Amino acid sequence: MRELFERLGRMAVTAVTVTGNMFLILAQAVYFIFIPPYKLRNIVKQMEFVGVKSLFVVILTGSFTGMVLAMQSFNALKRFGAESLVGPTVALSMARELGPVLTALMVTGRAGSAMATELGTMRVTEQIDALYTMAINPVKYLITPRIVAGLSMLPILTVITDFVGVIGGYFVGVTLLNINPGVYIGRTVDFVNVDDIMYGVTKSFFFGLIITLVASYQGFYTTGGAEGVGRAATNAVVVGCVLILVSDYILTSIMF
Amino acid sequence: MLKLSAEAKVGIFVFIGLILLVYMSLRVGGIKFGREEGYTLTVRLDNASGLDTNASVRVAGVEVGRVRKILLEDNKAKLVLRIRPEVKIGKDFTAVLRTSGMLGERYLELIPGSPNAPSLEEGGDITRVATYADMEKLINLLADVASDVKNVTASFSSVLGGNEGEATLKNIVKNLEEVTENVNAIIKENDKRFSTVMVNFEDFSASIKDASRNLNSLIVENKDNLKGGVENLKNASLKLEEAMDTLNKIAPKVEDTISSVDSIAKKIDRGEGTLGKLINDPTTHEILNKTLSGINNYIDRTERFRTFVSYRGEFLFDEQDTKNYLSLKVQPKADKYYLFEVVDDPRGRRKTETVTIGGATTSVTKTSQEFKLSLELAKRFEDLAIRGGVIESSGGFGIDYYMLKDRVKIAFEAFDFDFNKKRNPHLKIGTLVRLNKYFFVTAGYDDFISKDGFESAYLGVGFEFEDEDLKYLFTSAPSIKP
């Protein structure tokens, strides 16, 4: 019985500690964004890593999601003779939900795990401690560039995903399912607003922050050698994905 | 392949992202930079349900503009339309709210009128509006009708269709034929019977004739009896006539009475005679009214009129003596009162006299033992009362402030001004606290800027009661017009 309570207490304390540390890191990282020297090269490197190198995987997921959405909604809408609504369905779901969320999930899997591993290895091999001894603030040197990269790259990746998704849906709808191309585009333009795209982009800002922050935190506080590094990578992905989905719900309920 | 730096890659990547974002936004939202082209028109509809802002406006199914605003004006939907500049909308165009397809969005269709009609300018109003039956309702109705028709035809076909139906129809026709034949035969067979029926009927009418003859003879036999009855009836009517005669004789008298009453009434109406004048003269009424209101007023004043008698004694500490006040407060209205006071001051009454002894003029303040009188008029504004008049046999004024539902009064008074500046005016400040309906205590500082050493703190007690008898003494004096 006592053990049970102890465990519960420990869990609560850990949760609070983790949250607190995360916010501390966030506060420091954001603070250092505005403090020179800016180390642009460092930031650009991270942007390339998070953004450019995720492009392929994001295009792949985006186009296939759009295609499968078109196919599924066509089956459902055909029963009402409303095939013309396939375009809006695909475009709206991509712009509002699937674009930002899928992009964020893919980036977490690709870049988040890599970040956590990298930082974790640095921590385990005492490179971070070495930075301290060289009077270089590791948060500024390692974490700030990553968070800036996440914040700036995720929206752009999301826009690309949206676009590619609509193209994929168009391809399936028009060439495979014989929907009139004019109707497809026309309806899509009719139903989708600029706001829909902008909501998705706004969401992706938050997702970019969550991904990089969680990954950096997990890597930065790695303990326990090679095993710990592995655990950090896993945690970065799992916690990141869960937080993305939860915050997606919260953001949606606030925005719509 | 070209070797690109990290910067270049990120740059291209960002560039592509931004291009896509702008392209999609333009495609989807039709964002226009600067002022929107075209001109505005307005339409008023009874019902704009289902219409959203930015719904399309179409002529012959071609989009010519958008609904920019939907407002409510005089319980009608007022739509502000933005029409493309190259499109001309005639004054006789008719606006109709339509739905595209069965589940589609709503839009506003403008149906052209005659080609020669002048076109509307910026801010113009499309006045012709038509309402079409709701598409869904129409479809439902048609579906119902169709299913009814279908049912009817189905039952028809089930009855008449096929070989069976034909056979039944044939049977029916055959039966009809038989029936007519039978009727014909029956009529032929019964020809004789019909004639006997007619003979019987003749007999029956003859018997009725006999019966009427018998009734006649019955009446003849009882002739006398009938006569007596009629005679009695006659007598009764004669007596009735007599009664009517008497009544007739009385009638003129009644008429006279009525006419004299009538003439009296008329006279009164015309204002002849005392009563007539009394009733007809409007001044009578006014006088009566005035009298009544006067009486009312008088009673009211008497009711309102209150008189209080009070005594208080204040012990002056420096003087080691008591200053006594006997006062009568007459309060004709709640916010106004007169105060008569007789004051016995141990310090006496002061006077400054100029004495000339051997060419040198000196002024001397003398005191004399006599009662001092106060006669004040006070007016009250909410919790503040201002009074003035004669205070302790000299001109002065006072301000009272009431608190706690009049239970506590703070009073300040100034009097006995000496304009030769030989002595300071008599100032007194104090408070009065009511203990109950009758008793009160006072405390304060009397004559506190005195030059003559008269300043003294005081503490006093007193009582006050309302005197009903005095009240009538005052109000029995003839009342003056309000």
Side-chain angles (χ1 to χ4, degrees):
Chain A
M1 198 63 191
R2 196 178 134 203
E3 225 171 85
L4 189 76
F5 280 118
E6 273 176 358
R7 198 183 272 177
L8 191 70
R10 213 163 23 239
M11 272 164 70
V13 171
T14 313
V16 172
T17 316
V18 167
T19 318
N21 275 335
M22 225 181 250
F23 275 100
L24 280 178
I25 282 199
L26 175 64
Q28 280 187 56
V30 170
Y31 169 72
F32 282 123
I33 290 177
F34 304 102
I35 302 297
Y38 296 111
K39 299 281 177 198
L40 275 180
R41 184 161 294 277
N42 231 333
I43 294 175
V44 169
K45 201 179 128 202
Q46 287 305 324
M47 282 166 113
E48 190 204 3
F49 178 68
V50 174
V52 181
K53 292 193 172 163
S54 303
L55 192 60
F56 178 69
V57 77
V58 158
I59 287 178
L60 213 61
T61 42
S63 55
F64 275 101
T65 312
M67 284 157 77
V68 89
L69 258 181
M71 206 172 270
Q72 290 287 13
S73 59
F74 178 80
N75 274 334
L77 291 168
K78 199 172 70 179
R79 293 162 202 225
F80 306 108
E83 293 98 329
S84 64
L85 291 176
V86 170
T89 310
V90 173
L92 277 178
S93 357
M94 288 307 297
R96 286 186 177 183
E97 283 301 327
L98 295 173
V101 171
L102 284 179
T103 309
L105 292 179
M106 293 318 292
V107 172
T108 314
R110 212 196 65 80
S113 59
M115 260 180 220
T117 315
E118 196 183 339
L119 291 180
T121 313
M122 288 174 85
R123 166 66 78 189
V124 171
T125 54
E126 296 173 354
Q127 291 179 54
I128 290 176
D129 301 320
L131 283 176
Y132 274 118
T133 58
M134 289 187 283
I136 295 172
N137 188 317
V139 173
K140 176 165 180 59
Y141 187 73
L142 298 172
I143 295 178
T144 302
R146 285 174 165 79
I147 286 181
V148 171
L151 278 174
S152 54
M153 289 297 108
L154 253 285
I156 291 171
L157 284 172
T158 301
V159 170
I160 291 170
T161 313
D162 290 352
F163 184 74
V164 169
V166 172
I167 296 289
Y170 179 83
F171 171 73
V172 169
V174 172
T175 52
L176 301 184
L177 303 171
N178 289 322
I179 300 171
N180 182 321
V183 169
Y184 188 96
I185 297 290
R187 299 271 93 179
T188 305
V189 171
D190 272 356
F191 274 85
V192 184
N193 289 324
V194 184
D195 286 351
D196 294 319
I197 299 172
M198 285 308 161
Y199 286 143
V201 171
T202 314
K203 278 182 184 177
S204 67
F205 271 110
F206 287 93
F207 296 162
L209 180 66
I210 289 168
I211 294 164
T212 48
L213 181 64
V214 169
S216 304
Y217 170 82
Q218 293 291 350
F220 201 73
Y221 287 100
T222 304
T223 48
E227 200 186 316
V229 174
R231 203 166 49 231
T234 315
N235 278 347
V237 174
V238 172
V239 174
C241 290
V242 170
L243 277 182
I244 283 165
L245 293 174
V246 171
S247 64
D248 179 48
Y249 175 79
I250 296 168
L251 289 170
T252 306
S253 68
I254 291 170
M255 286 194 287
F256 295 105
Chain B
M1 199 185 141
L2 202 77
K3 186 76 182 158
L4 287 171
S5 66
E7 276 103 334
K9 281 182 192 166
V10 171
I12 292 169
F13 175 77
V14 170
F15 183 71
I16 291 172
L18 287 180
I19 292 280
L20 287 181
L21 181 66
V22 170
Y23 171 73
M24 286 198 288
S25 302
L26 285 180
R27 213 38 224 276
V28 155
I31 293 176
K32 298 249 165 61
F33 298 101
R35 220 182 116 73
E36 201 182 19
E37 288 187 339
Y39 57 100
T40 15
L41 298 178
T42 51
V43 188
R44 283 175 184 76
L45 298 178
D46 287 337
N47 185 357
S49 62
L51 197 71
D52 295 316
T53 43
N54 285 334
S56 71
V57 179
R58 300 182 191 177
V59 174
V62 180
E63 185 173 304
V64 297
R66 292 281 173 121
V67 176
R68 280 296 172 232
K69 274 181 204 160
I70 301 175
L71 309 162
L72 187 67
E73 199 178 272
D74 300 333
N75 289 330
K76 281 194 168 194
K78 182 187 173 186
L79 311 181
V80 178
L81 315 177
R82 192 85 192 159
I83 307 290
R84 283 193 205 136
E86 72 272 14
V87 180
K88 297 273 170 264
I89 304 293
K91 278 186 176 160
D92 56 351
F93 273 43
T94 312
V96 184
L97 199 61
R98 283 197 169 155
T99 310
S100 62
M102 270 162 59
L103 301 166
E105 60 185 318
R106 289 224 152 194
Y107 67 92
L108 195 74
E109 176 90 34
L110 301 177
I111 300 166
S114 80
N116 301 325
S119 23
L120 285 165
E121 300 289 320
E122 161 76 33
D125 208 353
I126 301 171
T127 43
R128 295 192 182 190
V129 172
T131 40
Y132 276 57
D134 204 79
M135 199 64 183
E136 276 174 52
K137 271 189 199 166
L138 211 66
I139 289 165
N140 282 338
L141 208 70
L142 281 177
D144 285 352
V145 170
S147 70
D148 282 353
V149 171
K150 199 178 171 191
N151 283 340
V152 172
T153 50
S155 40
F156 259 123
S157 75
S158 71
V159 172
L160 300 178
N163 294 333
E164 226 176 277
E166 242 170 79
T168 7
L169 268 180
K170 264 183 193 166
N171 278 340
I172 288 167
V173 173
K174 207 183 258 175
N175 286 346
L176 216 63
E177 229 170 275
E178 278 175 18
V179 168
T180 47
E181 265 172 30
N182 288 345
V183 169
N184 211 9
I186 287 166
I187 290 171
K188 267 182 190 165
E189 267 178 34
N190 290 300
D191 202 12
K192 276 182 187 167
R193 282 190 199 170
F194 271 121
S195 55
T196 48
V197 167
M198 290 311 288
V199 171
N200 286 347
F201 198 64
E202 218 172 43
D203 285 354
F204 179 63
S205 64
S207 323
I208 286 178
K209 207 179 177 181
D210 284 351
S212 68
R213 203 175 290 150
N214 288 344
L215 202 68
N216 204 19
S217 63
L218 201 71
I219 290 168
V220 169
E221 276 168 25
N222 290 303
K223 211 179 182 178
D224 288 345
N225 291 348
L226 277 174
K227 228 183 203 170
V230 171
E231 200 94 8
N232 289 344
L233 211 63
K234 203 181 178 180
N235 284 340
S237 71
L238 272 178
K239 276 175 190 165
L240 204 65
E241 209 167 301
E242 272 170 34
M244 284 308 288
D245 261 358
T246 330
L247 214 62
N248 266 345
K249 276 171 202 159
I250 296 166
K253 284 176 191 167
V254 172
E255 213 166 276
D256 281 353
T257 315
I258 287 170
S259 68
S260 43
V261 169
D262 191 39
S263 79
I264 290 166
K266 272 180 186 159
K267 275 179 189 168
I268 289 172
D269 215 15
R270 282 197 300 270
E272 289 170 20
T274 321
L275 200 61
K277 272 186 186 141
L278 208 60
I279 289 171
N280 283 300
D281 196 356
T283 51
T284 317
H285 168 76
E286 274 169 30
I287 290 167
L288 209 64
N289 253 359
K290 268 186 193 166
T291 313
L292 284 174
S293 68
I295 290 169
N296 258 348
N297 222 324
Y298 186 69
I299 291 168
D300 271 4
R301 278 143 142 311
T302 313
E303 289 287 303
R304 283 202 310 261
F305 213 101
R306 300 174 78 182
T307 50
F308 300 91
V309 176
S310 71
Y311 162 79
R312 70 182 194 273
E314 286 169 357
F315 185 75
L316 299 164
F317 289 97
D318 288 16
E319 210 72 26
Q320 291 292 318
D321 208 342
T322 312
K323 190 173 175 181
N324 298 297
Y325 300 77
L326 182 65
S327 52
L328 169 66
K329 190 161 100 179
V330 178
Q331 188 179 332
K333 271 194 236 167
D335 61 344
K336 191 172 125 185
Y337 64 85
Y338 305 99
L339 188 72
F340 305 101
E341 222 167 27
V342 180
V343 185
D344 162 39
D345 191 344
R347 291 170 300 197
R349 196 176 161 191
R350 270 165 286 167
K351 260 184 201 160
T352 307
E353 281 175 5
T354 318
V355 183
T356 312
I357 308 164
T361 313
T362 48
S363 51
V364 177
T365 304
K366 285 185 174 175
T367 56
S368 57
Q369 283 298 329
E370 57 181 289
F371 285 123
K372 295 196 278 191
L373 293 176
S374 292
L375 183 56
E376 290 173 62
L377 166 65
K379 174 85 179 162
R380 191 167 165 181
F381 307 95
E382 304 285 325
D383 284 339
L384 190 76
I386 294 174
R387 57 194 160 83
V390 179
I391 301 179
E392 297 190 17
S393 299
S394 72
F397 68 93
I399 298 168
D400 297 339
Y401 184 73
Y402 292 90
M403 293 186 298
L404 302 172
K405 294 179 182 168
D406 291 4
R407 286 194 58 187
V408 176
K409 178 175 94 171
I410 295 172
F412 167 77
E413 52 191 35
F415 53 93
D416 198 11
F417 296 97
D418 175 36
F419 294 101
N420 296 323
K421 310 263 178 181
K422 295 297 174 204
R423 55 193 155 94
N424 282 336
H426 190 143
L427 302 186
K428 180 180 173 183
I429 188 152
T431 180
L432 181 148
V433 181
R434 289 185 180 280
L435 303 173
N436 62 16
K437 199 179 166 190
Y438 300 110
F439 293 96
F440 56 85
V441 294
T442 61
Y445 210 72
D446 193 14
D447 204 4
F448 53 86
I449 56 166
S450 174
K451 276 180 178 173
D452 309 311
F454 284 135
E455 66 268 29
S456 170
Y458 69 87
L459 195 63
V461 291
F463 60 87
E464 183 184 59
F465 59 89
E466 188 170 1
D467 195 307
E468 291 284 332
D469 300 330
L470 276 171
K471 167 177 165 174
Y472 288 106
L473 198 71
F474 279 103
T475 53
S476 62
S479 100
I480 306 150
K481 277 208 166 184

